[in-house]
Amino acid sequence: MTRIAMVGAGLSAVSACDALRGGGYDGEIVLLSDEAGPPYDRPPLSKDVLTGSAATRGDIALRPADWYEKQRVELRPGIAVTALRPDEGVLELADGSELTADRIVLATGGTARTLPVPGADDPAVHTLRTWAEAERLRARLVPGARIAVIGAGLIGAETAAVATALGCAVTLIDPVPVPLTAVVGPDIAGALHARHRAEGIDVITGGVERIDRAPGTEEVTVTVGGRPEPVAADTVVVGIGIRPATALAEAAGLTVDNGIVVDVAQRTSHPRVYAVGDVARRSGDPVRHEHWDAARSSGQAAAAGLLGAAPPARSASWFWSDRYGSRLEGVGSMADAEETVVRGDVASGAFTVFGLRASVLIAAAAIDRPKDIKAAQRLIARAVPVRADRLTDPATELRALLRG
Ligand SMILES: Cc1cc2nc3c(=O)[nH]c(=O)nc-3n(C[C@H](O)[C@H](O)[C@H](O)COP(=O)(O)OP(=O)(O)OC[C@H]3O[C@@H](n4cnc5c(N)ncnc54)[C@H](O)[C@@H]3O)c2cc1C
């Protein structure tokens, strides 16, 4: 194998490059990105970039500027791949040229979903997936600005929290009364959502029906089902998830079903093509894991596959999210738990929920309890039987439960 081409230069692709070189791959690596400039990390976009504490692209770079040369990774930013011919190993590029590679890794991530309602294309309506979008939004978050955030999932909630801290008047709109319940369980989801009101955010439950702008004004109004008065705003932020960027794969005839379907080594239905990160879904997994750690580890798994090595042991999906100075973490699949139990004091705001199935820990979510999550990761990996009353007993050292 002499050349591997990566389409997309986000975390999953850069992790794959790292792991290929770490695993001894000596051939060419070409990293193609339709975004300008060097690869950057996305989690800070809704955190330090919006607050302004990360002011330049360099502040959130995925790797130091000299890393690409040192690792002999040919970075080609600002050029989109427009088509893929897998049988020939050919990528067609937006400038009309073609690139041939022995193996191709699709790491195209996704784009922010837009609202399917009238007025969703108004210039006051923002989404948050890229540096360019974050820069545009940051300029709007000035003291006194009225910000309507649609969607109270992870990114919407982070954006609402930052906007409030910056002195904006924030309205947070979501169709469900307690968002994230399926992901972190009702106790944690309830505590997180209640915090928005406690911080002075106007929280509204309802579906958005339309966005209007009075001609010649800067103001838009957001009409929410079941509410007599629309919400007036200077800026609207839509945080309702992503659409995986599967167009290339679909046009090339690869199997796509809620993401590009891959095996444990991230191989797609075509032997020459791999897929990693947010755009990929492991065959047998009901969901795509659109999180930082999943992107990193899928890049490593693809590198192992490309090198003919066994894929690294797979750990339960882990994510974090920051709001109001607190850190939420989740591991495993809470939606599959038969029973949930709480450790710690809910009233204090810092507590953990464990999810069990057939007396085995399969998930945990916590606010500001990183040690519980670390222990939960190990317990989930070992799948040792645990008693619910031992998990909840503050006297129990969670590490001790690893011994069964
Ligand atoms: C605002 C924000 C905050 C987040 N916060 C957290 C967090 O706190 N915790 C957490 O666990 N996760 C978080 N995430 C999720 C995490 O950042 C993503 O899961 C991760 O970045 C996915 O990496 P990726 O490599 O799959 O895709 P991406 O980072 O999206 O990279 C894909 C790249 O491919 C490019 N591309 C697409 N199509 C083409 C093409 N045809 N040709 C060339 N290039 C192409 C795209 O432009 C993009 O640059 C956050 C994400 C966002 C957007």
Side-chain angles (χ1 to χ4, degrees), residues 194-283:
R195 184 78 187 266
H196 293 305
R197 269 208 185 92
E199 297 286 341
I201 287 181
D202 187 10
V203 177
I204 292 178
T205 303
V208 170
E209 293 179 341
R210 55 185 304 113
I211 297 167
D212 293 286
R213 175 189 290 262
T217 69
E218 287 295 306
E219 179 180 289
V220 290
T221 55
V222 180
T223 303
V224 181
R227 288 183 65 92
E229 288 298 314
V231 175
D234 305 304
T235 297
V236 177
V237 186
V238 177
I240 56 169
I242 67 161
R243 215 177 274 288
T246 54
L248 284 177
E250 273 174 73
L254 306 185
T255 304
V256 174
D257 175 11
N258 181 24
I260 305 171
V261 178
V262 295
D263 68 6
V264 287
Q266 307 294 135
R267 277 181 294 248
T268 68
S269 54
H270 194 286
R272 200 191 285 275
V273 185
Y274 290 63
V276 292
D278 284 5
V279 78
R281 182 176 66 80
R282 287 259 176 101
S283 167

Side-chain angles (χ1 to χ4, degrees), residues 270-346:
H270 194 286
R272 200 191 285 275
V273 185
Y274 290 63
V276 292
D278 284 5
V279 78
R281 182 176 66 80
R282 287 259 176 101
S283 167
D285 270 4
V287 293
R288 283 176 298 103
H289 298 285
E290 299 164 3
H291 299 304
W292 189 94
D293 192 50
R296 185 186 59 84
S297 59
S298 67
Q300 293 169 344
L306 286 159
L307 295 170
R314 198 178 168 203
S315 50
S317 163
W318 167 79
F319 73 90
W320 84 96
S321 178
D322 297 331
R323 52 177 94 174
Y324 309 116
S326 282
R327 172 154 294 191
L328 163 71
E329 286 177 276
V331 58
S333 174
M334 198 62 88
D336 295 327
E338 291 165 344
E339 180 190 7
T340 58
V341 294
V342 175
R343 180 180 175 93
D345 178 13
V346 175

Side-chain angles (χ1 to χ4, degrees), residues 73-228:
V73 171
E74 184 190 338
L75 175 63
R76 295 176 64 179
I79 184 128
V81 174
T82 52
L84 157 69
R85 304 204 299 270
D87 289 342
E88 300 159 67
V90 169
L91 295 172
E92 297 174 17
L93 309 185
D95 62 3
S97 65
E98 293 186 347
L99 178 78
T100 306
D102 302 278
R103 294 286 181 274
I104 292 161
V105 180
L106 296 176
T108 47
T111 49
R113 273 182 191 278
T114 51
L115 270 178
V117 301
D121 56 352
D122 189 285
V125 179
H126 293 240
T127 50
L128 183 52
R129 177 75 188 178
T130 65
W131 167 263
E133 289 171 330
E135 261 198 319
R136 267 200 303 277
L137 179 57
R138 176 170 59 188
R140 308 286 301 171
L141 302 185
V142 294
R146 294 165 304 169
I147 311 294
V149 179
I150 300 172
L154 297 172
I155 289 174
E158 287 188 351
T159 305
V162 169
T164 301
L166 291 172
C168 303
V170 180
T171 306
L172 182 58
I173 306 162
D174 196 285
V176 300
V178 186
L180 293 176
T181 300
V183 182
V184 295
D187 299 283
I188 297 242
L192 290 171
H193 205 51
R195 184 78 187 266
H196 293 305
R197 269 208 185 92
E199 297 286 341
I201 287 181
D202 187 10
V203 177
I204 292 178
T205 303
V208 170
E209 293 179 341
R210 55 185 304 113
I211 297 167
D212 293 286
R213 175 189 290 262
T217 69
E218 287 295 306
E219 179 180 289
V220 290
T221 55
V222 180
T223 303
V224 181
R227 288 183 65 92

